[in-house]
């Protein structure tokens, strides 16, 4: 047997063993599928021809024992015929792979050989054949390693036995890329260092003329380092769950584990690991790993947690007397509870905050804002670290501050173009007086309504609070903030078509000197309509066109319009049309064959031929003015319908309304004429 063939055979057997072991460890319970069940699940068609991966077509091999492999339908029997004689029948595995390693008695002679593979599926159907031709030119003896140390071992010694296809040979060995030296079988090594190693051996005939060109190789690893376990998932430190799940891994692959719960026996286990129906109290899981070489983790890796299924004690509210009447809205509520638990405080059914109970059993929750006068209900409940919740406790009290709350009921908008401002305000307390503050440090007496003139451009802040007849002021003034903006924005055209443009489409882009500004556009003197910062005008007629754009800021100031004029020329003439959407024959305005404006076969550069068969309301181009979905029949109507909105993802509704009205008016004028 050649070195490469033997190595492949040994590797395949080792991989099979490791795969079987890993499968058994990962899935101790498997479901067997009978060949009949698998055959019934396969389609009732002959299998495809198998694929031969090695040897490849036309390859020249230096070994007389080549390795045969390929792919086929899963579970299929692959019959291999070598030089007209059946060599073997193999089965494709669950990955659809098959392989065959010939024995030492199946040496091939030097020369050209032919391999034919035919597969038969589980249903007994035979598919077409696959074949390759390859050549053998073996120039030396073949060396085979019969035995060696485990692939992963704690032993620092190693013994190898090996042989050759030739009868009278000598051997040369090398360890870890050292020079080849004469050796015999068996070959022993001692005092090897930890880490990976490789042993090479080649045979040579006694005359010294022929040497194995492909030495046999054997690789293994000496591992003296114990693995380390790491938890990747654990239950929380405190839990009320009776079932806990753990996940862990080892620092070395192919490790096995033992688990011990609460100082119990260490038993084989795997990740994930579940603990069932644990009693309340502290628990500890200890996991220890053992690697493939047999090294065991020096000390087990542990995780401790506590199971707690008992709810904490009901908290008590001590800062508010049940049924009491208070004159000041409480800024905080305090009480007592089980140390370590978290108290949730609700006022009138709304959660206001939480607080952890300290070691002395005290808790305090801040109350934001001010409560209105009337009856209020405090509800407190406790939750411990494991997630158990207590029953709630509720305390009621009445708040009567006899103060005066303040509300602003009217004022300028957030952005105002006016330098004056008028405010209206009120208080629910009859007879209250007011104090106002406009951009100042101190409030002064004022009456409702309050008016201010000559305000400068910029941000202004107005605040007002009421004072009750008993002199108690509103401690939370009402505040109104707005911006005065009397300067109109400036719009500019940043992208535009050239002065002369061929075609029917033109695109524009605008910008303004104010961030929140919007735009209004007018084409060829039509009424200004809302438009976006980037627009595309379509179905433009040949001739001169003028676009005007102006900016409107958040305060409603309308700026001067920026103007751009350009000329549209036909895009090369020729035939524009297609088949009109209205059909029919004759010279009427709605279709047929001829040079009319709405369809059929168009002549020259008419404006409406072809086009979109039904662009829908507001898209304009390419339809009869009487068709549904077309705003108007003139180039301006098409521009309004499909121009300002074209290229925009969502044109402003006001723009569509304006365009629709303009189209309807144009249609009415055309019909009247």
């Amino acid at each position: 047997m050649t070195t490469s063939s033997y190595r492949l055979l040994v590797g395949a057997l080792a991989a099979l063993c490791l795969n079987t072991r890993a499968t058994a460890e990962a899935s101790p319970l498997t479901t067997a599928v009978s060949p009949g069940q698998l055959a019934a699940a396969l389609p009732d068609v002959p299998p495809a021809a198998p694929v031969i991966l090695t040897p490849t077509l036309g390859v020249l091999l230096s070994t007389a024992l080549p390795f045969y492999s390929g792919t086929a339908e899963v579970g299929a029997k692959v019959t291999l015929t070598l030089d007209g004689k059946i060599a073997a029948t193999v089965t494709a595995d669950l990955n659809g792979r098959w392989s065959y390693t010939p024995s030492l008695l199946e040496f091939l002679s030097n020369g050209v050989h032919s391999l034919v593979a035919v597969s038969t599926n589980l249903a007994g159907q035979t598919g077409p054949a696959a074949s390759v031709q390859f050549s053998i030119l073996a120039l030396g003896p073949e060396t085979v390693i019969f035995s060696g140390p485990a692939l992963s071992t704690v032993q620092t010694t190693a013994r190898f036995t090996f042989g050759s296809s030739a009868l009278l040979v000598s051997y040369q060995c090398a360890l870890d890329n050292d020079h080849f030296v004469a050796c015999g079988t068996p070959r022993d090594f001692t005092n090897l260092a930890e880490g990976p190693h490789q042993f090479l051996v080649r045979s040579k005939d006694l005359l010294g003329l022929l040497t194995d060109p492909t030495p046999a190789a054997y690789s293994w690893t000496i591992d003296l380092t114990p693995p380390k376990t790491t938890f990747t998932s654990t239950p929380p430190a405190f839990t009320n769950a009776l079932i806990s799940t753990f996940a862990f891994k080892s620092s070395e692959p192919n490790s096995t584990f033992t688990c011990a719960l609460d100082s119990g026996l260490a038993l084989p286990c795997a990740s994930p690991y579940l603990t069932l129906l644990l009693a309340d109290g502290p628990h500890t899981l200890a996991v220890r790993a053992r690697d493939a070489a047999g090294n065991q983790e020096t000390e087990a890796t542990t995780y401790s947690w506590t199971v707690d299924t008992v709810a904490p004690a009901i908290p008590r509210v001590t800062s508010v007397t049940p049924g009491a009447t208070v004159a000041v809205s409480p800024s905080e509520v305090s009480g007592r509870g089980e140390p370590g638990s978290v108290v949730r405080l609700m006022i009138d059914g709304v959660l206001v905050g939480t607080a952890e109970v300290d070691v002395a059993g005290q808790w305090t929750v801040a109350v934001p804002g001010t409560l209105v006068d009337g009856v209020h209900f405090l509800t407190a409940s406790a939750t411990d670290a494991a997630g158990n919740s207590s029953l709630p406790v509720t305390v009621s009290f009445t708040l009567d501050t006899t103060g005066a709350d303040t509300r602003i009921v009217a004022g300028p908008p957030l952005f105002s173009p006016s330098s004056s401002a008028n405010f209206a305000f009120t208080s629910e307390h009859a007879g209250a007086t007011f104090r106002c503050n406009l951009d100042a440090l101190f409030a002064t007496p004022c009456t409702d309504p309050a008016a201010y003139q000559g305000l400068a451009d910029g941000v202004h802040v107005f605040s007002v609070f009421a004072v009750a007849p008993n002199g108690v002021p509103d401690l939370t003034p009402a505040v109104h903030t707005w911006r005065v903006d009397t300067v109109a924005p400036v719009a500019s055209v940043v992208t535009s078509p050239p002065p002369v443009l061929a075609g029917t489409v033109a695109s524009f882009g605008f910008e303004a000197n104010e961030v929140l500004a919007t735009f209004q556009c007018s084409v060829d003197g039509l009424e200004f309509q809302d438009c976006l910062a980037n627009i595309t005008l379509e179905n433009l007629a040949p001739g001169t066109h003028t676009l005007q754009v102006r900016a409107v800021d958040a305060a409603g100031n309308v700026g001067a319009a920026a103007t751009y004029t350009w000329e549209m020329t036909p895009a090369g003439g020729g035939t524009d049309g297609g088949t009109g959407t209205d059909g029919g024959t004759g010279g009427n305005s709605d279709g047929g064959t001829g040079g009319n404006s709405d369809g059929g076969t168009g002549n020259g550069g008419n404006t409406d031929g072809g086009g979109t068969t039904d662009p829908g309301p507001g898209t304009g181009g390419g339809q009869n003015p009487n068709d549904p979905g077309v705003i108007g029949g003139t180039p301006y109507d098409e521009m309004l319908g499909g121009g300002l909105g074209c290229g925009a993802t969502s044109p402003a509704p006001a723009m569509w309304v304006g365009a629709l009205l303009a189209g309807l008016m144009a249609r009415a004028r055309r019909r009247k004429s």
Side-chain angles (χ1 to χ4, degrees):
M1 178 180 293
T2 63
T3 303
S4 59
S5 301
Y6 182 78
R7 287 198 300 268
L8 288 171
L9 176 60
V10 172
L13 291 174
L16 179 60
C17 293
L18 290 176
N19 183 61
T20 303
R21 176 183 176 184
T23 302
E25 291 178 351
S27 303
L29 296 179
T30 59
T31 302
V33 179
S34 68
Q37 291 174 319
L38 186 58
L42 296 175
D44 189 18
V45 295
V51 176
I52 300 175
L53 298 177
T54 60
T56 57
L57 181 64
V59 68
L60 176 62
L61 302 176
S62 61
T63 176
L65 292 173
F67 177 70
Y68 308 108
S69 68
T71 61
E73 183 179 293
V74 174
K77 299 290 185 180
V78 180
T79 301
L80 303 178
T81 302
L82 187 62
D83 297 333
K85 296 181 180 180
I86 295 178
T89 298
V90 294
T91 302
D93 62 18
L94 294 179
N95 295 316
R97 293 187 174 274
W98 58 265
S99 62
Y100 175 66
T101 302
S103 66
L104 290 173
L105 300 178
E106 297 177 89
F107 276 93
L108 295 179
S109 61
N110 289 341
V112 178
H113 298 273
S114 175
L115 175 66
V116 178
V118 178
S119 63
T120 302
N121 63 17
L122 295 177
Q125 298 168 313
T126 300
S131 64
V132 295
Q133 284 190 335
F134 58 95
S135 300
I136 299 293
L137 182 59
L139 300 178
E142 294 289 340
T143 310
V144 178
I145 297 176
F146 296 131
S147 66
L151 297 179
S152 182
T153 179
V154 296
Q155 302 297 324
T156 58
T157 61
R159 164 170 287 198
F160 295 91
T161 60
F162 38 87
S164 175
S165 60
L167 296 178
L168 300 176
V169 294
S170 61
Y171 296 98
Q172 293 179 330
C173 300
L175 179 65
D176 297 336
N177 297 321
D178 202 352
H179 297 292
F180 278 95
V181 295
C183 61
T185 182
R187 177 70 169 95
D188 294 317
F189 296 95
T190 60
N191 299 322
L192 296 175
E194 182 178 10
H197 297 277
Q198 185 181 52
F199 172 72
L200 301 176
V201 59
R202 64 189 180 189
S203 56
K204 184 177 182 180
D205 64 22
L206 293 181
L207 297 179
L209 299 178
L210 297 177
T211 301
D212 183 355
T214 56
Y218 189 94
S219 298
W220 80 106
T221 300
I222 296 175
D223 182 3
L224 305 178
T225 303
K228 178 62 179 175
T229 301
T230 302
F231 285 104
T232 58
S233 177
T234 61
F238 292 89
T239 179
N240 56 9
L242 299 180
I243 299 177
S244 298
T245 303
F246 293 82
F248 41 84
K249 64 180 181 180
S250 171
S251 58
E252 297 187 28
N254 302 321
S255 295
T256 58
F257 300 93
T258 59
C259 298
L261 180 62
D262 297 336
S263 301
L265 293 176
L267 301 175
C269 61
S271 178
Y273 179 83
L274 275 70
T275 61
L276 303 177
L277 302 178
L278 296 177
D280 278 22
H283 297 277
T284 299
L285 177 67
V287 180
R288 179 173 291 180
R290 180 187 295 272
D291 62 22
N295 299 295
Q296 182 170 284
E297 191 171 0
T298 305
E299 293 185 2
T301 300
T302 62
Y303 180 83
S304 298
W305 76 108
T306 299
V307 176
D308 178 7
T309 61
V310 179
I314 299 174
R316 293 187 295 118
V317 177
T318 59
S319 62
V320 177
T321 301
T325 298
V326 297
V328 179
S329 178
S331 60
E332 62 183 25
V333 176
S334 59
R336 298 189 61 83
E338 181 178 302
S341 63
V342 175
V343 174
R344 288 166 44 94
L345 179 66
M346 303 180 70
I347 299 181
D348 301 331
V350 178
L351 178 67
V352 296
T354 62
E356 182 176 353
V357 182
D358 61 22
V359 293
Q362 299 285 342
W363 60 267
T364 300
V365 176
V367 179
T370 302
L371 300 177
V372 299
D373 283 9
V375 178
H376 298 278
F377 297 90
L378 300 177
T379 301
S381 62
T383 302
D384 62 21
N388 305 295
S389 296
S390 71
L391 295 174
V393 60
T394 300
V395 175
S396 66
F397 69 96
T398 301
L399 176 64
D400 183 8
T401 62
T402 67
D405 194 21
T406 314
R407 293 184 297 113
I408 297 175
V409 297
L414 182 62
F415 294 91
S416 174
S418 175
S419 60
S420 62
N422 297 308
F423 293 91
F425 38 86
T426 185
S427 173
E428 83 285 356
H429 201 298
T433 59
F434 298 94
R435 290 182 176 270
C436 299
N437 184 339
L438 177 64
D439 301 334
L441 296 177
F442 303 101
T444 58
C446 59
T447 58
D448 174 55
Y452 298 90
Q453 306 291 333
L455 300 177
D457 277 23
V459 177
H460 297 276
V461 178
F462 171 79
S463 63
V464 58
F465 65 89
V467 180
N470 60 3
V472 178
D474 181 2
L475 300 180
T476 57
V479 179
H480 182 86
T481 302
W482 81 105
R483 175 183 287 274
V484 173
D485 182 3
T486 61
V487 179
V490 178
S492 57
V493 180
V494 294
T495 58
S496 60
V500 178
L501 177 63
T504 62
V505 178
S507 297
F508 291 85
F510 319 123
E511 66 179 19
N513 63 340
E514 294 190 25
V515 176
L516 299 179
T518 59
F519 299 96
Q520 294 179 344
C521 299
S522 170
V523 179
D524 296 338
L526 293 178
E527 182 180 355
F528 276 93
Q529 304 289 341
D530 291 338
C531 60
L532 300 178
N534 294 278
I535 66 171
T536 299
L537 307 180
E538 297 182 344
N539 300 317
L540 296 173
T544 301
H545 298 275
T546 299
L547 170 72
Q548 291 183 294
V549 60
R550 63 191 183 190
V552 181
D553 62 21
N557 300 297
V558 180
T563 303
Y564 185 83
T565 302
W566 78 104
E567 181 181 354
M568 301 298 296
T569 62
T575 300
D576 290 337
T579 300
T581 61
D582 293 324
T585 304
N588 60 65
S589 63
D590 289 335
T593 303
N596 63 73
S597 62
D598 288 304
T601 302
N603 280 325
N606 68 73
T607 62
D608 292 330
T612 306
T613 58
D614 189 11
T619 59
Q623 292 194 9
N624 188 292
N626 298 321
D627 291 340
V630 176
I631 292 176
T634 70
Y636 301 124
D637 297 333
E638 295 169 355
M639 179 278 296
L640 288 172
L644 296 181
C646 192
T649 57
S650 57
M655 169 185 168
W656 292 113
V657 173
L660 178 60
L661 293 175
L664 294 175
M665 293 174 64
R667 178 181 294 180
R669 290 196 301 270
R670 183 164 55 255
R671 289 181 174 175
K672 182 176 181 181
S673 60

